[in-house]
Amino acid sequence: IKQTNNIITEMIKMDVPGSMVILHLDVLNKLQKLSENMRDIKLYNTDAIVAMSGVSQYDANATSLELSINSLAIAINEILTKN
């Protein structure tokens, strides 16, 4: 969780070209959702319902994050290959 939050913090500090702002923000939002899921899962001893909610959403959010990262990588690659 800490590592994910550190990634989010560092990504927020990045200067992002206007053409990539939406993709960058999408990755940040998906990372945030995954971090929330992990925090919820950690509550398994004290709040099983919240923990189960985190577990049930984790896989879909991880897949969504992967797709967002791939979209951002493709956009970066397109810019790099044009120059």
Side-chain angles (χ1 to χ4, degrees):
I1 298 171
K2 183 177 179 181
Q3 186 177 23
T4 301
N5 290 336
N6 287 341
I7 292 169
I8 292 168
T9 300
E10 293 304 314
M11 283 186 70
I12 289 171
K13 296 176 186 177
M14 293 174 72
D15 288 328
V16 179
S19 62
M20 292 196 184
V21 168
I22 299 296
L23 294 170
H24 181 81
L25 185 58
D26 191 44
V27 170
L28 281 169
N29 288 335
K30 303 285 173 59
L31 277 169
Q32 182 63 36
K33 284 183 181 182
L34 211 60
S35 180
E36 290 170 9
N37 293 150
M38 290 184 284
R39 277 195 306 269
D40 290 348
I41 292 167
K42 281 183 69 173
L43 298 174
Y44 66 93
N45 280 332
T46 57
D47 195 338
I49 293 173
V50 171
M52 290 305 296
S53 174
V55 168
S56 70
Q57 296 174 26
Y58 184 87
D59 190 48
N61 287 333
T63 300
S64 183
L65 172 60
E66 182 180 6
L67 293 172
S68 294
I69 290 170
N70 286 339
S71 295
L72 181 58
I74 289 168
I76 291 169
N77 190 44
E78 286 175 1
I79 287 174
L80 294 176
T81 56
K82 284 182 183 177
N83 296 327

